[in-house]
Amino acid sequence: MAKVKIDSKLFDRAKKAAEAAGYSSFEEFITFIIEKELMQLEGSSEGNDDVDEQLRGLGYIE
Amino acid sequence: MNKSYITIVSGLPRSGTSMMMQILEAGGIPILTDNIRKLDEDNPKGYYEFEPVKKTKDDPSWVPEAQGKAVKIIYRLIQDLPDGYEYRVLFMQRKMDEVLASQKAMLQRSGKQGATVGDDKLAKLFERQLNEFQAWIRGKQNFSILTINYHDMIHSPQSLCQKVNSFLGEVLDMASAASIVDPTLYRNRT
C-alpha cells in the first residue's frame, strides 16, 4: 500500500465529509474520489466490450 | 410489506445474488422471477432471474409490477431503470478471484464463450465498472444501497440478515430468512 502526504486541515475536512456521507472508512472515500477523477481523465469506455462479452456468455445481458 | 419501493438484488455474476434472492423469498418478500432459466449445477436452487430486465432500456413496462417485490438485476442494467420509483439495492460483494473462477466454471459447463482477455485484465475492468456504478448510484436520490459481503453472509447469516431486514424496513421473517444460507454451496474458494 502506498502512502500520500496531504495537508492536515484538508485531511480533517475530508474525514468529516466522508463520515457525514456514510462511507465505511476514510480509505473507501479517498479511493472513490481518485477513481472518479481517473474515470474522467482516462476515459471509461475502453474494455467495455470485453466485459460485455463475458456477461453475454454468462447469459446476463443480450 | 411496504409496496412503495422495489428491492433490487445486484452485483457481479456469481457473487451470491441467487443466495440473496433465496433469503428474501424465505423471509416472505414476493419475488419477481419467470423461472425461464432452469436450475443446474451452477445454481442448484435456481437462478431467480426475470428475462424482461435485460430489455429494460427499451421496455421498462415491468417496473411498476415490481413494487413491493424483489428482482435480480446485474449491476450493468440498473442504470436502465426509470426514475420515478424508489429502489433499495442489496449489492453482493465477493472476492474477485472467486467470482472469476466461478464464472469460468459456469462458462465451461455451458460451453459458452466469455471474454477473451486474461483474468487480471478482466478483474480490473470489472473493478472499474463497479467503481463507476458506485459513483453513479451515490448521486441518485431515489436509490439506496446496502453492500453485503458474501463470506460474511455464509459465516454470520443471522447478523447479516438483520442488516438486510433493517435496510428493508423490518419486513423479513428473520428465522426463515437466515436458515436458508447453505455453506455447502460455497464453492470456488480461493
Side-chain angles (χ1 to χ4, degrees):
Chain A
M1 288 291 215
K3 289 184 180 177
V4 176
K5 288 185 179 177
I6 61 170
D7 177 76
S8 301
K9 285 181 183 170
L10 178 62
F11 175 84
D12 291 340
R13 279 174 56 211
K15 199 159 186 292
K16 279 181 191 167
E19 285 168 4
Y23 287 89
S24 61
S25 68
F26 184 62
E27 285 74 19
E28 185 199 16
F29 174 66
I30 294 299
T31 302
F32 167 69
I33 296 294
I34 293 173
E35 288 280 3
K36 193 176 170 186
E37 189 61 22
L38 284 175
M39 273 192 303
Q40 290 185 341
L41 294 173
E42 295 173 340
S44 61
S45 61
E46 189 192 343
N48 283 354
D49 290 346
D50 294 316
V51 173
D52 283 353
E53 208 176 351
Q54 182 81 351
L55 298 178
R56 202 169 289 115
L58 291 164
Y60 287 91
I61 63 170
E62 293 189 328
Chain B
M1 177 74 198
N2 183 339
K3 291 190 183 298
S4 66
Y5 66 85
I6 297 167
T7 302
I8 305 285
V9 173
S10 192
L12 287 172
R14 313 305 294 162
S15 61
T17 50
S18 297
M19 175 180 71
M20 180 53 72
M21 290 296 281
Q22 290 161 28
I23 290 168
L24 296 180
E25 183 178 44
I29 308 273
I31 300 296
L32 194 59
T33 180
D34 47 28
N35 294 312
I36 288 176
R37 198 171 190 180
K38 299 299 178 192
L39 53 88
D40 58 21
E41 192 179 340
D42 292 305
N43 264 342
K45 295 189 176 179
Y47 279 86
Y48 287 85
E49 288 177 7
F50 187 58
E51 277 295 305
V53 303
K54 295 180 187 173
K55 296 182 168 64
T56 304
K57 197 170 190 175
D58 297 322
D59 180 12
S61 60
W62 61 269
V63 175
E65 183 196 346
Q67 290 180 103
K69 297 177 184 170
V71 61
K72 182 168 132 178
I73 306 179
I74 190 172
Y75 73 101
R76 278 288 297 278
L77 301 177
I78 286 187
Q79 294 179 43
D80 295 341
L81 288 166
D83 285 331
Y85 298 90
E86 182 194 350
Y87 303 99
R88 297 192 191 183
V89 181
L90 296 166
F91 198 86
M92 298 304 295
Q93 197 172 55
R94 185 179 179 185
K95 288 181 192 168
M96 185 62 78
D97 49 357
E98 290 185 3
V99 165
L100 293 182
S102 185
Q103 289 184 0
K104 194 175 279 184
M106 188 174 170
L107 286 166
Q108 281 172 350
R109 270 194 282 269
S110 66
K112 294 197 173 148
Q113 173 80 47
T116 50
V117 295
D119 281 358
D120 287 349
K121 176 83 185 290
L122 191 55
K124 282 181 183 157
L125 293 172
F126 271 140
E127 278 162 5
R128 191 189 69 199
Q129 288 199 350
L130 290 181
N131 283 324
E132 289 172 2
F133 170 75
Q134 293 286 349
W136 173 84
I137 206 165
R138 281 182 182 278
K140 298 290 288 182
Q141 292 196 332
N142 58 328
F143 281 81
S144 46
I145 183 167
L146 177 68
T147 301
I148 302 288
N149 182 282
Y150 175 83
H151 304 90
D152 291 346
M153 182 58 89
I154 292 286
H155 297 300
S156 312
Q158 193 70 34
S159 64
L160 265 291
C161 283
Q162 186 53 60
K163 278 190 184 175
V164 172
N165 198 24
S166 298
F167 179 68
L168 297 179
E170 309 292 337
V171 294
L172 283 181
D173 175 339
M174 279 294 296
S176 299
S179 71
I180 213 74
V181 176
D182 182 358
T184 64
L185 293 179
Y186 176 25
R187 299 167 293 189
N188 297 111
R189 296 166 192 242
T190 58

